[in-house]
Amino acid sequence: MRPVYVAVAFVVAIAVVAVAVMLLWGQLIGATVVAGQTSGKTYTIRSMKGSYLPPEGWKVGDPPVIDDKYYNPARLSIRVGDTVVYVNEDEVPHTFTASMVPSGASKFDSGPVNPGDSYRYTFRVSGTYTYYCMLHPHKGGIIEVSP
């Protein structure tokens, strides 16, 4: 075998091993690999027990209330590539539904999430996202996503 072919084969073998190690490391630490960026963090937003009850005086057509007693935390700052896991800790189904998203972003909608269940969404576009529960529109939240 010519020395050039041996050198090329060696470089290819090293590259294959390096990719395998990176993928295995990502699996071991629970990371997600996304082309062009590093893996993000995971944050949790919960529907609190009793959050299906609207605040006194709230009526249909009023804007959602941004308060930790409904979604906790109701305000969250994250980075592009981060994931939010929505967990329903209430005794009735809720949704985690985008009402406004930045230009270029897709709206998310969990559909009904039963008590004890969850939904995950990874944010790929920076900007301000507002969300609410379609079943209980008195509750809402805001997620700020920075680059």
Side-chain angles (χ1 to χ4, degrees):
M1 213 178 207
R2 291 186 180 181
V4 172
Y5 294 128
V6 172
V8 169
F10 180 73
V11 169
V12 169
I14 294 296
V16 169
V17 169
V19 168
V21 167
M22 288 188 313
L23 290 174
L24 179 59
W25 180 251
Q27 291 291 324
L28 291 173
I29 64 171
T32 303
V33 177
V34 178
Q37 69 187 39
T38 59
S39 59
K41 294 181 180 179
T42 300
Y43 297 86
T44 301
I45 295 176
R46 295 174 168 78
S47 272
M48 305 310 291
K49 286 197 184 282
S51 66
Y52 64 92
L53 298 169
E56 190 173 322
W58 187 91
K59 59 190 176 310
V60 174
D62 286 350
V65 176
I66 312 299
D67 190 303
D68 287 350
K69 65 184 173 184
Y70 300 113
Y71 286 109
N72 191 350
R75 297 177 192 279
L76 181 65
S77 295
I78 63 174
R79 299 183 65 101
V80 168
D82 289 347
T83 298
V84 170
V85 177
Y86 164 68
V87 179
N88 183 1
E89 293 184 355
D90 203 355
E91 43 288 323
V92 300
H94 289 286
T95 72
F96 182 67
T97 305
S99 50
M100 290 193 323
V101 301
S103 177
S106 298
K107 284 192 170 183
F108 54 86
D109 181 10
S110 65
V113 177
N114 290 318
D117 287 346
S118 64
Y119 167 81
R120 5 179 16 97
Y121 184 80
T122 301
F123 291 81
R124 308 244 181 253
V125 176
S126 63
T128 301
Y129 295 73
T130 60
Y131 62 91
Y132 72 110
C133 176
M134 289 177 57
L135 304 173
H136 310 96
H138 63 276
K139 55 187 276 182
I142 298 172
I143 300 172
E144 293 287 344
V145 181
S146 61

